[in-house]
Amino acid sequence: MPSLILLMIAGAAIAAWWNASRAAAERAETLGRDACAAANVQWLDHSVHGTGVRLYRREDGWLGLERSFRFDYSEDGIERHVGRMVLRGERLVSFTGPARGGRVLPFTPRDGGQ
């Protein structure tokens, strides 16, 4: 009986991991598609690819997961370029990709620059 309980706990942990991974991939897909549309470039393959997962320390002191994704886009329909993004939860913390026609926002540190 204890082995069944352990198996159920492991199954629930795997299901939670899978669900969080899919949610992050869907968020990354939306961000990549929107960035390509805003820059008026072609979003290739209509997908993002997870490239890494690592731990980071959240602001509340707990550990969280930081997921990295890549996607491909083309400015002229011939050459392929790679875009990259990093998500912490659902928050975008890093983005490299198409920016033509997009606005550049200044970076303002949360702690007042100290």
Side-chain angles (χ1 to χ4, degrees), residues 9-12 15 26-27 30 37 43 56 70 85 95 98 105 108 111:
I9 291 171
E26 289 172 8
R27 173 80 171 134
T30 300
W43 183 41
Y56 78 99
R70 68 176 277 281
M85 68 183 82
F95 182 85
L105 300 175
T108 306
D111 61 358

Side-chain angles (χ1 to χ4, degrees), residues 26-109:
E26 289 172 8
R27 173 80 171 134
E29 185 175 319
T30 300
L31 291 168
R33 182 177 48 245
D34 291 349
C36 288
N40 198 25
V41 299
Q42 183 180 9
W43 183 41
L44 301 175
D45 304 330
H46 299 281
S47 65
V48 295
H49 309 282
T51 58
V53 178
R54 69 181 201 167
L55 292 173
Y56 78 99
R57 178 84 49 196
R58 297 185 334 192
E59 293 172 1
D60 60 3
W62 289 88
L63 292 176
L65 292 177
E66 179 178 275
R67 291 181 168 90
S68 303
F69 297 92
R70 68 176 277 281
F71 64 97
D72 296 324
Y73 65 95
S74 178
E75 295 176 347
D76 56 8
I78 298 171
E79 293 185 23
R80 188 180 222 39
H81 302 282
V82 176
R84 300 184 190 285
M85 68 183 82
V86 177
L87 297 175
R88 288 183 175 169
E90 288 198 9
R91 188 171 57 115
L92 179 67
V93 295
S94 174
F95 182 85
T96 304
R100 185 181 344 145
R103 293 185 333 172
V104 176
L105 300 175
F107 176 73
T108 306

